[in-house]
């Protein structure tokens, strides 16, 4: 475990039995040896909620944006085993680790017993799970980045939660600690609200531009067939009451955002609508256009099928008409009584039946031709509508792709600017410390004043 064990608090316990109602907090952890199994003793953090003075009457609440989206899932970054360029290492000790358990240990705790039960039921050796459940799913040893199995299951999921932006809640602002307190309160109830999401790593970062949470969890589902306890986010969401299908994760996110909103309101913050982030639903306009295109394609298919059936019926009717024409072309000879022809009763009956069929066939053929023409016209109209909607959809998708590219390019540029300004600020602070140590503050102020005066003259 090494550095990770020294910085983290490990949660030990079964996934389904009751866990603490809130995650415990510790800035440092006490490593303890017990037999051959290493574990870390949890240090409780109890905090009494104080009434917020911002809730007084006639007091304007502060508006702040809410960000709740998927993270990249890098435990080395979250636990500061790797330092990114935007991290202020001087403030890293202010980070708060709520829980930090090695993912391999978490998988063993969650799934080892169910794997043993599954193997005990198998009579054939090739159907048993050999090795760890993690390696069985992902083909590698447990690692600190997200792995995806062949059936699209992920080794763990991460959500990043933030209140406010750098401008109104960043380091140096009066609300920096306020939003941090809200995030602490939110994470303390996360595990109780989501019993099927086993949180094995949760960190509040205070050493970047704005306080934010990284919550890493393993979804636990229970099944009647196969292994009875598995990694399964769809089943986990269903067991927690969010239903099935694509909307389940959206319902869960909406419920969590609502919890975050209530906490913000209690602290005098008016939450704005959540910003778009990774993992959110498709925009409604796109879904509507996609739905229209699918409906038109289905109508077009039905029209083509009906047209084919009517064409087949028309060909059958034309064949019958051709046979009647052949009968009519038969020549008869004149008798001694003039142009009259004498036929047997049987032949006369056959001719009568054929004549009636001819009249009916002509009517049916006329009707089928009319229906065919209408079907062809309807099919052409549907094809034109489908083409128009498809073109509109393609333009919309292109705009969305360009918007995403522009946003990413703008964000990268803004990130570089912020990093450069933060570095200049730190350099200035260090320079001022040196100036004060050597008693040069007056000379510095005079030089600064002269520079400002020269700038005014030039302007």
């Amino acid at each position: 475990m090494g550095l990770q064990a020294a910085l983290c608090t490990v949660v030990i316990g079964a996934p389904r039995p009751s866990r603490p109602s809130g995650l415990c907090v510790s800035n440092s952890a006490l490593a303890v040896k017990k037999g051959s199994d290493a574990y870390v003793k949890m240090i409780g953090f109890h905090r009494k909620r104080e009434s917020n003075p911002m809730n007084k009457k006639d007091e304007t609440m502060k508006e702040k944006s809410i960000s709740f989206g998927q993270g990249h899932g890098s435990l080395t970054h979250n636990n500061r085993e790797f330092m990114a360029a935007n991290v202020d290492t001087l403030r890293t000790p202010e980070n708060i680790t709520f829980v930090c358990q090695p993912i391999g240990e978490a998988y063993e705790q969650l799934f080892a017993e169910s794997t043993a039960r599954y193997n005990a039921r198998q009579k054939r050796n090739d159907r048993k799970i050999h090795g760890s459940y993690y390696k069985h799913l992902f083909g590698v040893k447990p690692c600190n980045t997200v792995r995806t199995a062949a059936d699209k299951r992920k080794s763990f999921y991460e959500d990043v939660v933030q209140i406010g932006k750098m401008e109104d809640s960043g380091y140096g602002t009066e609300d920096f600690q306020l939003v941090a307190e809200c995030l602490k309160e939110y994470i303390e109830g996360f595990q109780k609200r989501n019993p099927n999401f086993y949180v094995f790593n949760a960190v509040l970062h205070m050493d970047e531009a704005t306080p934010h949470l990284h919550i890493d969890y393993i979804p636990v589902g229970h099944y009647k067939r196969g292994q009875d306890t598995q990694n399964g986010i769809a089943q986990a969401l269903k067991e927690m009451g969010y239903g099935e299908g694509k909307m389940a994760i959206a319902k869960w996110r909406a419920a969590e955002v609502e919890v975050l909103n209530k906490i913000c309101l209690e602290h005098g913050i008016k939450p704005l609508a959540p910003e778009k982030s990774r993992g959110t639903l498709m925009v409604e306009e796109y879904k509507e256009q996609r739905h229209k295109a699918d409906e038109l394609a289905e109508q077009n298919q039905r029209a083509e099928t009906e047209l084919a059936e009517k064409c087949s019926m028309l060909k059958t009717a034309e064949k019958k008409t051709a046979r009647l024409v052949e009968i009519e072309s038969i020549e008869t000879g004149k008798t001694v009584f003039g142009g009259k022809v004498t036929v047997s009763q049987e032949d006369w009956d056959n001719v009568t039946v054929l004549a009636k069929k001819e009249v009916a066939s002509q009517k049916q053929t006329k009707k089928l031709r009319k229906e065919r023409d209408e079907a062809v016209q309807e099919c052409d109209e549907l094809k034109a509508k489908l083409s128009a909607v498809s073109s509109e959809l393609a333009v919309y998708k292109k705009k969305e792709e360009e918007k995403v590219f522009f946003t990413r390019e703008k964000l990268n540029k803004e990130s570089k600017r912020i990093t450069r300004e933060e570095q200049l600020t730190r350099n200035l602070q260090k320079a001022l410390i040196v100036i004060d140590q050597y008693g040069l503050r007056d000379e510095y102020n005079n030089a600064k004043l002269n520079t400002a005066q020269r700038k005014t003259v030039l302007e």
Side-chain angles (χ1 to χ4, degrees), residues 50-63:
E50 299 176 356
S51 58
N52 189 11
M54 291 301 296
N55 286 337
K56 294 178 180 179
K57 292 183 178 180
D58 302 327
E59 191 75 35
T60 303
M61 300 187 76
K62 303 174 182 180
E63 291 187 345

Side-chain angles (χ1 to χ4, degrees), residues 113-124 127-129:
E113 293 182 0
S114 63
T115 301
R117 289 193 295 270
Y118 173 79
N119 286 339
R121 295 197 304 269
Q122 303 308 312
K123 296 181 179 179
R124 290 173 47 179
R127 291 184 177 178
K128 294 182 178 180
I129 296 175

Side-chain angles (χ1 to χ4, degrees), residues 79-94:
N79 298 328
R80 292 299 183 249
E81 295 174 23
F82 165 76
M83 294 292 185
N86 64 329
V87 173
D88 185 353
T89 55
L90 297 176
R91 291 191 285 124
T92 297
E94 299 175 11

Side-chain angles (χ1 to χ4, degrees), residues 3-60:
L3 176 60
Q4 189 172 359
L7 293 175
C8 304
T9 301
V10 175
V11 177
I12 302 298
R16 290 295 290 174
S18 60
R19 292 185 66 188
S21 60
L23 294 174
C24 294
V25 183
S26 63
N27 286 346
S28 61
L30 175 62
V32 179
K33 289 284 185 177
K34 186 177 182 179
S36 59
D37 298 327
Y39 72 103
V40 178
K41 185 178 181 181
M42 297 178 63
I43 300 177
F45 180 88
H46 304 284
R47 178 169 49 84
K48 184 179 179 181
R49 183 184 299 178
E50 299 176 356
S51 58
N52 189 11
M54 291 301 296
N55 286 337
K56 294 178 180 179
K57 292 183 178 180
D58 302 327
E59 191 75 35
T60 303

Side-chain angles (χ1 to χ4, degrees), residues 302-330:
R302 286 201 300 266
E304 289 182 348
T305 302
E306 292 176 1
L307 179 61
E309 291 176 354
K310 287 178 171 51
C311 287
S312 177
M313 293 173 65
L314 186 60
K315 287 181 180 179
T316 302
E318 288 176 346
K319 287 180 181 180
K320 291 180 180 180
T321 303
R323 290 181 59 190
L324 289 171
V325 171
E326 290 177 0
I327 293 173
E328 290 176 352
S329 64
I330 298 175

Side-chain angles (χ1 to χ4, degrees), residues 293-304:
D294 292 341
E295 282 187 344
L296 286 173
E298 186 178 352
Q299 291 177 15
N300 185 40
Q301 182 64 34
R302 286 201 300 266
E304 289 182 348

Side-chain angles (χ1 to χ4, degrees), residues 1 9-13 37-40 100-112 134 142 198 200 218:
M1 293 174 64
T9 301
V10 175
V11 177
I12 302 298
D37 298 327
Y39 72 103
V40 178
C100 179
Q101 181 180 15
I103 188 169
E105 183 179 304
Y107 263 78
E108 187 72 13
Q109 175 182 324
L110 293 170
F111 306 112
Y134 185 101
Y198 181 83
F200 69 96
I218 302 167

